């Protein structure tokens, strides 16, 4: 089943919003903005943005796998690796370069993220191969905190691919083995990713005559958003984090690292999945207006097309410019520059990396695939 153009565009809107939520949550750190925007951190906008990314990733990976099922695991691996490496490898080099310069100017700023200068080749290799979050390992390339999620997502790709492409009952054993290698920390957030897979299976398996009424579709789309706002009003995410801390203790929380909010993340994943299914029903068969097609859609596609680069390099850029810009974190113009400059430079970085992915994809397909194949058009955060 094809993904409708309207729904694909909506997914791009959502991934752009998720990327900006992460950027804003990091910008709100007191070392950048003097604590003037701490509500963004209290409501964990960054964690919510990553959860949305995971759901979108699962949905679009399931879509791409179904679309390319006859091409085999080699082509799938080439497409996934080219998607990740086209940005991740340059981001590692770029980020470390910024960190070395910035840390030499203001070491105290970088102490907040545990960077004291230098990153071992072993750590960089582990990050490049997405081994940075296996079991209780936690490798961070300098100030680039957001890189952790790639060490989760790459393993979701692998576990899914092993299950999808392995025939018969053996798939359960093979996928289970991959999951064991990934470890409990990664698996705690995997249900979030799998909700996206489930959404695409529901979308692709339905026939138009079996669609629920527009009223039900609207309820499915709107209710999760209302529940999300209510949950944040009640600070449910903070309550669940405290409950987890009570269960596991401080040592246990440290061991699971970025999965410490897994209870709320999995609830949010379900809400996002229901919302996306409702939106898919509302947008099914809809044609876009000439305004959207001619004016708005190209802008959204372009902005969303650089969102991976934005996600992956904004934090090192923020630290670098916080080190080199004059003034103190309470100055409004400085705060504005620390938001605008990293976003602008991230899109320059995207032009040199994310939007040049095809050449790497072609090489990897030639290396890992058994035959040439037409490239799948871009449809979202993790297109083929």
């Amino acid at each position: 089943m094809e993904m409708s153009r309207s729904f694909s565009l909506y997914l791009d809107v959502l991934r752009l919003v998720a990327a900006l939520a992460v950027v804003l949550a990091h910008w709100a750190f007191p070392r950048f903005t003097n604590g003037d925007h701490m509500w963004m951190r209290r409501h964990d906008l960054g964690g919510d943005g990553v959860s949305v990314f995971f759901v979108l990733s699962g949905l679009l990976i399931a879509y791409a796998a179904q679309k390319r099922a006859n091409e085999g695991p080699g082509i799938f691996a080439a497409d996934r690796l080219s998607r990740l490496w086209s940005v991740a490898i340059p981001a590692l080099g770029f980020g470390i370069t910024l960190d070395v310069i910035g840390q030499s100017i203001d070491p105290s700023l970088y102490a907040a993220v545990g960077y004291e200068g230098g990153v071992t080749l072993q750590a960089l290799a582990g990050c490049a191969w997405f081994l940075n979050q296996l079991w209780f390992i936690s490798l961070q390339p300098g100030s680039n905190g957001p890189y952790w999620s790639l060490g989760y997502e790459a393993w979701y790709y692998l576990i899914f691919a092993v299950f999808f492409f392995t025939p018969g009952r053996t798939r359960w054993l093979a996928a289970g083995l991959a999951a064991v290698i990934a470890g409990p920390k990664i698996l705690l957030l995997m249900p979030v990713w799998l909700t996206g897979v489930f959404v695409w299976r529901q979308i692709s398996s339905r026939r138009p005559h079996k669609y629920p009424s527009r009223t039900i579709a609207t309820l499915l789309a709107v209710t999760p958003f209302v529940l999300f706002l209510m949950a944040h009003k009640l600070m449910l995410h903070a309550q669940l984090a405290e409950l987890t801390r009570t269960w596991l203790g401080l040592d246990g929380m440290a061991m699971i690292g970025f999965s410490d909010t897994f209870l709320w993340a999995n609830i949010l994943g379900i809400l996002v999945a229901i919302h996306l299914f409702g939106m898919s029903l509302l947008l099914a068969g809809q044609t876009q207006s000439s305004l959207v097609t001619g004016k708005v859609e190209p802008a959204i596609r372009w902005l969303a097309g650089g969102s991976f680069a934005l996600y992956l390099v904004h934090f090192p850029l923020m630290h670098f410019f916080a080190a080199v810009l004059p003034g103190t974190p309470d100055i409004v113009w400085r705060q504005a520059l620390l938001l605008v400059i990293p976003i602008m430079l991230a899109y320059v970085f995207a032009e040199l990396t994310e939007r040049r992915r095809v050449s790497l994809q072609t090489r990897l397909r030639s290396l890992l695939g058994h035959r040439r194949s037409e490239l799948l058009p871009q449809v979202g955060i993790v297109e083929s």
Side-chain angles (χ1 to χ4, degrees), residues 51-256:
S51 294
V52 172
F53 274 136
F54 280 169
V55 179
L56 292 175
S57 174
L59 188 157
L60 290 164
I61 286 294
Y63 164 73
Q66 180 179 332
K67 186 82 172 178
R68 298 290 191 176
N70 64 323
E71 293 181 337
I75 293 294
F76 181 90
D79 291 347
R80 300 284 63 76
L81 286 172
S82 66
R83 171 62 178 171
L84 294 172
W85 276 344
S86 64
V87 180
I89 300 299
L92 287 172
F94 182 56
I96 293 301
T97 301
L98 291 175
D99 287 348
V100 169
I101 300 171
Q103 196 268 347
S104 68
I105 298 170
D106 188 354
S108 63
L109 178 71
Y110 285 83
V113 289
Y115 179 75
E116 299 179 353
V119 176
T120 66
L121 290 177
Q122 292 91 331
L124 284 176
C127 290
W129 284 99
F130 313 113
L131 308 176
N132 50 306
Q133 294 295 323
L134 292 182
W135 279 79
F136 304 117
I137 296 172
S138 185
L139 300 176
Q140 180 172 305
S143 67
N144 200 341
Y147 199 93
W148 71 268
S149 65
L150 272 64
Y152 281 56
E153 192 156 0
W155 284 87
Y156 299 154
Y157 295 170
L158 177 62
I159 295 168
F160 174 86
V162 168
F163 185 84
F164 187 83
F165 290 106
T166 302
R169 295 181 179 178
T170 310
R171 65 178 56 185
W172 291 98
L173 178 62
L177 178 60
V180 168
I181 296 173
K185 186 167 59 173
I186 292 175
L187 296 182
L188 282 173
L189 294 185
M190 190 167 185
V192 183
W193 195 87
L194 289 175
T195 58
V197 177
F198 179 77
V199 170
W200 177 250
R201 291 192 64 179
Q202 294 304 305
I203 294 172
S204 63
S205 65
R206 286 185 172 267
R207 299 294 177 262
H209 67 277
K210 292 185 177 180
Y211 284 172
S213 69
R214 191 166 186 83
T215 300
I216 293 177
T218 302
L219 285 173
L220 289 172
V222 174
T223 302
F225 185 69
V226 174
L227 292 175
F228 169 78
L229 294 177
M230 291 173 60
H232 269 281
K233 179 69 174 178
L234 297 171
M235 298 294 286
L236 179 62
H237 63 288
Q239 295 180 47
L240 292 174
E242 183 59 34
L243 180 62
T244 305
R245 189 175 296 108
T246 301
W247 287 346
L248 300 180
L250 293 178
D251 290 341
M253 292 288 279
M255 290 177 68
I256 63 175

Side-chain angles (χ1 to χ4, degrees), residues 78-79 82-83 86 353-366 373-378 383-384:
D79 291 347
S82 66
R83 171 62 178 171
S86 64
T353 58
E354 191 168 3
R355 302 189 204 277
R356 300 289 183 269
R357 171 201 169 195
V358 172
S359 59
L360 176 60
Q361 184 179 24
T362 302
R363 292 192 190 97
L364 288 175
R365 278 178 171 234
S366 177
S373 175
E374 179 186 358
L375 299 183
L376 187 67
Q378 292 188 357
E383 75 284 357
S384 100

Side-chain angles (χ1 to χ4, degrees), residues 265-293:
N266 281 285
I267 292 172
L268 180 56
I270 294 171
L271 293 178
V272 174
I274 295 171
H275 169 74
L276 288 176
F277 183 58
M279 290 301 299
S280 73
L281 298 175
L282 290 175
L283 296 173
Q286 282 196 8
T287 57
Q288 294 166 308
S289 69
S290 58
L291 174 63
V292 171
T293 303

Side-chain angles (χ1 to χ4, degrees), residues 270-335:
I270 294 171
L271 293 178
V272 174
I274 295 171
H275 169 74
L276 288 176
F277 183 58
M279 290 301 299
S280 73
L281 298 175
L282 290 175
L283 296 173
Q286 282 196 8
T287 57
Q288 294 166 308
S289 69
S290 58
L291 174 63
V292 171
T293 303
K295 301 291 184 180
V296 179
E297 180 177 1
I300 292 173
R301 298 290 191 190
W302 186 85
L303 289 169
S307 61
F308 186 24
L310 174 61
Y311 173 79
L312 211 52
V313 301
H314 74 273
F315 211 33
L317 283 165
M318 279 185 185
H319 281 89
F320 175 78
F321 283 102
V324 302
L325 285 175
T328 54
D330 60 314
I331 300 174
V332 174
W333 64 261
R334 191 177 187 273
Q335 293 181 4

